[in-house]
Amino acid sequence: VPNQLAFTPNRIELPTDAELIIRFENPDLMIHNLVIADRESGEHVGTLADKLALQPNASKRGYIPESTKVLAATPLVHPNAKAEILFRTPSTPGDYPFLCTFPGHWRVMRGLFIVR
């Protein structure tokens, strides 16, 4: 959503164990990414992203923390651009958070993949 630090939609129901192409379109004036985290790991991944932002190589890494809790991620997507990633939904049902890990964004720019 332009100028609101928000994903739309921010809740998406998905089947288990399905291969998807996720297209992330950025209509905003700021750079964003889309990082999919393991169940109940949104806060953990966001905190790791905050720590990563302090490192000199953070922008080269796309502000994506190295963690087994990161299931998939787009690169940084510039304004009015898009990125696609291939993603297989987990075989375990649950709520899988997605967030933007660009510095300062993850606390408000987040959503859920509801895998059933």
Side-chain angles (χ1 to χ4, degrees):
V1 178
N3 305 315
Q4 292 185 24
L5 291 178
F7 289 109
T8 186
N10 64 0
R11 296 175 62 86
I12 302 168
E13 289 197 30
L14 300 169
T16 58
D17 202 32
E19 191 168 86
L20 309 169
I21 295 174
I22 296 175
R23 178 181 298 138
F24 173 51
E25 298 180 7
N26 181 8
D28 202 356
L29 299 173
M30 295 182 272
I31 296 172
H32 298 294
N33 64 12
L34 184 140
V35 176
I36 304 167
D38 203 354
R39 289 182 307 159
E40 300 179 19
S41 297
E43 295 282 327
H44 176 73
V45 170
T47 300
L48 290 176
D50 286 345
K51 292 176 183 175
L52 173 61
L54 301 173
Q55 303 301 315
N57 65 343
S59 64
K60 288 182 184 176
R61 293 178 48 194
Y63 300 101
I64 301 167
E66 287 184 30
S67 171
T68 59
K69 300 296 184 184
V70 173
L71 303 181
T74 67
L76 291 173
V77 179
H78 290 271
N80 298 309
K82 59 187 165 191
E84 292 182 346
I85 56 172
L86 186 62
F87 177 63
R88 178 168 292 282
T89 59
S91 57
T92 304
D95 295 344
Y96 292 81
F98 58 89
L99 53 150
C100 174
T101 58
F102 190 84
H105 292 190
W106 74 269
R107 285 179 178 79
V108 293
M109 193 171 178
R110 50 198 313 177
L112 281 178
F113 286 132
I114 303 162
V115 177
R116 302 285 179 243

